[in-house]
Amino acid sequence: MNIHPLPEFDCVVANRLEIADDIVLLDLVRADGGAFPEWTPGAHIDLVLPNGIERQYSLCSTPTETARWQVAVLREAAGRGGSSYVHESVAVGTSVHVRGPLNHFAFEPAPAYLFVAGGIGITPLLPMMRAASAAGVPWTLAYAGRSEGSMAFVRELRDEHPAQVRVYASETGERLALESLFAETAAGTLVYCCGPSRLLDAAQASATANGWPAGQLHIERFEAKEAGEPVLADAFEVELELSGMTLEVPPDRSILEVVEEAGVLVLSSCREGTCGTCETPVVSGEVDHRDSVLTPEEQAENEVMMICVSRAACARLVLEL
Ligand code: FES
């Protein structure tokens, strides 16, 4: 049983362009020549590479463009091999499998927006900026990176929106001071932030320091955040309501692993709590949320959980599986 069906497509790389240092832009088209579904700004896809590795990448083209999807891939020297494979082995004509789109970074209506990007974190924000421009909603972008040569789309953004885009290249000593930037941000402005963990942690701290209400800052993490020790050190039980099974989850295994071993199919991708693919409805029981996808408010609602990393904070969890 699979409760999270996502569209899947056999695709071909139709174009490949180096757009910045260590960043390639891939154009993906369906192998059967068909159209992709439309998507919403902030959405990502799972890219399943020919070597079996799968990684998540934000869509950075235009949501209504159904003939092709675009993703930008940063080569991460310290990564787990997916981005290096893309840079070294994926060329025009390479076949890849794609799953999605999925959106855990939804773009909500607002009277104004502040976008904060760190490096490759610019990718999910690009379609949001286009949507804001199309709707006539004012926006500004603070874009931080090591050097301008390492920052994708920086020239186009500055040429097209000179009054709205501010670039901070650390190589030239320009520093993005988030706390003061947030202090100058008008109430009601929604802030969308994506980039490395240290930028996102600083954004959360700055939002707190400025007394922002819940929901003003939206962040998307590409890297799993540090979750600390689990609430329960012991095993716990998981009842799968739809499958009619009760399983024990030992301390050294994830719910996802135990559920898969029992023959229940749940879609998963990152298996580290960042992509949202394994989101599972919670029927009852308290969850020890350890993911990097749900907002603190969503976690407090206790309606869904990421079973690849989140655990039980009680003896028995009941899941809609
Ligand atoms: S598989 Fe990615 S959040 Fe669980």
Side-chain angles (χ1 to χ4, degrees), residues 77-124:
R80 295 166 295 159
S83 67
S84 297
Y85 183 91
V86 169
H87 277 258
E88 287 156 19
S89 305
V90 172
V92 171
T94 300
S95 297
V96 292
H97 191 71
V98 167
R99 192 186 303 127
L102 190 61
N103 196 339
H104 278 281
F105 192 40
F107 188 52
E108 295 173 8
Y113 298 102
L114 167 63
F115 300 106
V116 179
I120 196 68
I122 192 69
T123 48

Side-chain angles (χ1 to χ4, degrees), residues 185-292:
T185 300
T189 301
L190 287 189
V191 180
Y192 283 82
C193 183
C194 186
S197 288
R198 64 180 184 284
L199 176 80
L200 304 182
D201 292 344
Q204 282 186 314
S206 300
T208 303
N210 279 287
W212 281 7
Q216 183 163 5
L217 173 66
H218 297 249
I219 64 173
E220 174 156 88
R221 290 182 184 271
F222 292 150
E223 303 158 341
K225 65 183 176 194
E226 184 50 55
E229 289 298 313
V231 172
L232 285 187
D234 300 328
F236 56 89
E237 280 186 345
V238 174
E239 181 183 333
L240 309 184
E241 194 180 60
L242 302 181
S243 314
M245 285 186 235
T246 298
L247 307 169
E248 183 175 284
V249 182
D252 60 341
R253 306 198 67 201
S254 69
I255 298 176
L256 177 62
E257 288 169 337
V258 171
V259 163
E260 284 177 334
E261 196 174 84
V264 178
L265 178 62
V266 181
L267 269 190
S268 64
S269 183
C270 72
R271 303 176 83 92
E272 59 174 21
T274 56
C275 75
T277 306
C278 70
E279 180 179 289
T280 300
V282 177
V283 178
S284 65
E286 203 179 327
V287 178
D288 175 12
H289 289 285
R290 306 170 63 75
D291 66 277
S292 306

Side-chain angles (χ1 to χ4, degrees), residues 64-81:
T64 51
E65 190 180 355
T66 56
R68 67 165 186 176
W69 280 349
Q70 281 186 318
V71 294
V73 180
L74 167 69
R75 182 202 293 265
E76 295 182 79
R80 295 166 295 159

